[in-house]
Amino acid sequence: MTYKQNYNDIAMEERNKTLGEFIIENQKAFQYSSGELSRIINSIRLAAKVVNYKVNKAGLVDIIGAVGEQNIQGEEQQKLDVYANEVFIQTLINREIVCGIASEENDEFITVKGSDNSNNNKYVILMDPLDGSSNIDVNGSLGTIFSVFRRITPIGTPVTSEDFLQPGINQVAAGYVIYGTSTMLVYTTGHGVNGFTLNPAIGTFYLSHPNMKFPESGHIYSVNEGNYVHFPQGVKNYIKYCQREEEDRPYTSRYIGSLVSDFHRNMIKGGIYLYPTSSKAPKGKLRLLYECNPMAFIAEQAGGKATDGFGRIMEIQPTELHERVPFFCGNYDMVEKAEEFMAEGL
Ligand code: AHM
Ligand code: MG
């Protein structure tokens, strides 16, 4: 079933619902909620529109290309990464709605102080402002990923690393923006996953994908197979399993190299995304806090599964901000099968 068909199934009262209306309705559902979380989603919505505008103009103006700086992982930053990072951080700071921000592009977390130098907000946000940056120069799709936690340290005191180094099960919200053929904001607050598509003509996100779920079975596997020889034996065996001629196999291989897009397609069509360890990247490539935790939360809320090949991503206790982890994520059964191969392949 495609989402086009699904859209026709959306109840009339849900049609044409904007993200703003959806946020207000959900805010009402939480009796004791202070509205802070709703304001965070609202800020993401605004920053996403600003970044979207820039992303769409990337081919027209001289903004693409390396700035020349390297981020903490030693990777070259692109101008759009820097821009997106600034937009998201400034939007969140200006609106005084979080007490701390950690970004994949910054070495250290940021302590946010309010205009009166105090900060009584209870949430911290972690984000990858523009993921899939190798796609910038080639007009490929990009994404923003975010994850929200309630702080652990007392409200009113400066945030510490403890507030950011929490296992994914503590997330109160997570989501992504996909800058693709259309721009979408997909998020969860732990009550299912909802997707909103931007109407660029009027700058409004509309509920287009309510209650997103992985289909029952998946037939797509997404992995950078160029690294095959460097993969652990369990992953090699699983890839061979995906390619074997059986009743419902071989599976289809699809890999954009942009986590948000690969994940988004797999959630809609059914599939598994793998970024395992390899002899080149012994801890994997993706970051637990900025990429894997938020995607794992969304995956689980959509009926899928996310592991590091052996255990649940969201139960990993992080020890450092920029920690990397292997990532297996997608349809529940497919991830479970990959885990079987991992256990046997040791
Ligand atoms: P980035 O944060 O530097 O953009 O890297 C993350 C990206 C993911 O979006 C994508 O799935 C992966 O890196 C692709 O890596 P590779 O080119 O090694 O296959
Ligand atoms: Mg990234």
Side-chain angles (χ1 to χ4, degrees):
M1 183 160 51
T2 69
Y3 262 92
K4 215 166 194 169
Q5 287 160 329
N6 270 354
Y7 187 77
N8 293 328
D9 294 338
I10 301 175
M12 273 318 268
E13 66 272 19
E14 295 281 297
R15 287 196 190 180
N16 297 326
K17 185 178 283 180
T18 66
L19 174 56
E21 288 160 3
F22 184 88
I23 291 171
I24 292 166
E25 255 173 49
N26 283 278
Q27 156 80 15
K28 281 192 213 141
F30 300 111
Q31 211 186 338
Y32 302 108
S33 132
S34 62
E36 272 175 62
L37 193 53
S38 302
R39 286 181 6 241
I40 292 174
I41 305 292
N42 264 326
S43 304
I44 302 280
R45 172 180 67 158
L46 172 65
K49 284 195 264 188
V50 176
V51 170
N52 174 64
Y53 178 71
K54 203 73 157 186
V55 165
N56 279 309
K57 281 176 61 173
L60 298 171
V61 290
D62 182 31
I63 189 144
I64 52 172
V67 164
E69 295 170 7
Q70 291 204 330
N71 70 9
I72 190 169
Q73 280 90 20
E75 296 151 333
E76 212 169 48
Q77 288 199 42
Q78 306 281 318
K79 281 182 188 171
L80 268 177
D81 303 39
V82 178
Y83 178 80
N85 196 35
E86 278 167 13
V87 169
F88 276 94
I89 290 174
Q90 269 317 316
T91 308
L92 291 160
I93 290 179
N94 291 348
R95 294 189 160 202
E96 295 180 21
I97 37 149
V98 290
C99 51
I101 305 169
S103 164
E104 191 190 293
E105 296 295 339
N106 294 16
D107 297 358
E108 308 288 345
F109 62 79
I110 299 167
T111 304
V112 182
K113 285 190 184 147
S115 40
D116 60 356
N117 230 13
S118 71
N119 190 322
N120 292 321
N121 293 318
K122 56 176 178 287
Y123 295 113
V124 295
I125 190 161
L126 300 96
M127 61 176 186
D128 182 352
L130 204 61
D131 184 64
S133 44
S134 64
N135 279 321
I136 294 175
D137 289 341
V138 295
N139 206 359
S141 54
L142 304 161
T144 294
I145 312 173
F146 66 92
S147 166
V148 180
F149 289 86
R150 199 167 280 119
R151 67 181 299 176
I152 289 178
T153 52
I155 289 174
T157 62
V159 282
T160 71
S161 58
E162 200 190 339
D163 297 313
F164 297 94
L165 300 180
Q166 299 189 53
I169 42 170
N170 291 356
Q171 289 174 104
V172 292
Y176 59 78
V177 182
I178 175 167
Y179 311 97
T181 44
S182 57
T183 295
M184 282 189 71
L185 197 156
V186 174
Y187 78 99
T188 182
T189 53
H191 303 275
V193 181
N194 290 286
F196 301 82
T197 304
L198 180 67
N199 178 344
I202 51 172
T204 304
F205 281 101
Y206 286 96
L207 178 62
S208 52
H209 295 58
N211 197 19
M212 296 179 84
K213 294 278 176 214
F214 281 91
E216 259 174 41
S217 61
H219 298 95
I220 298 171
Y221 72 103
S222 312
V223 62
N224 186 342
E225 266 180 89
N227 293 328
Y228 183 88
V229 291
H230 302 289
F231 285 152
Q233 194 55 44
V235 174
K236 287 182 179 166
N237 294 346
Y238 179 67
I239 291 175
K240 287 291 160 229
Y241 165 87
C242 293
Q243 296 169 341
R244 203 168 302 140
E245 190 83 47
E246 292 286 343
E247 205 181 321
D248 65 337
R249 280 173 283 141
Y251 295 154
T252 295
S253 166
R254 289 282 181 273
Y255 190 71
I256 296 170
S258 183
L259 171 63
V260 172
S261 310
D262 281 310
F263 175 94
H264 186 74
R265 180 206 50 244
N266 290 353
M267 180 162 66
I268 290 176
K269 294 197 163 178
I272 182 171
Y273 172 95
L274 304 112
Y275 210 109
T277 58
S278 68
S279 41
K280 283 200 305 190
K283 293 181 176 166
K285 177 185 183 189
L286 302 182
R287 291 72 169 179
L288 173 60
L289 295 178
Y290 312 114
E291 292 161 330
C292 303
N293 264 340
M295 292 319 228
F297 190 19
I298 298 165
E300 289 195 10
Q301 284 292 317
K305 189 172 166 88
T307 79
D308 63 358
F310 301 98
R312 192 179 174 201
I313 286 289
M314 290 210 286
E315 288 178 12
I316 298 173
Q317 174 60 55
T319 54
E320 50 178 312
L321 274 182
H322 295 276
E323 172 169 351
R324 295 174 195 265
V325 74
F327 194 48
F328 296 60
C329 180
N331 270 67
Y332 198 95
D333 293 350
M334 295 178 91
V335 176
E336 206 164 53
K337 191 67 172 172
E339 281 185 308
E340 279 174 31
F341 279 96
M342 289 303 285
E344 284 166 12
L346 284 177

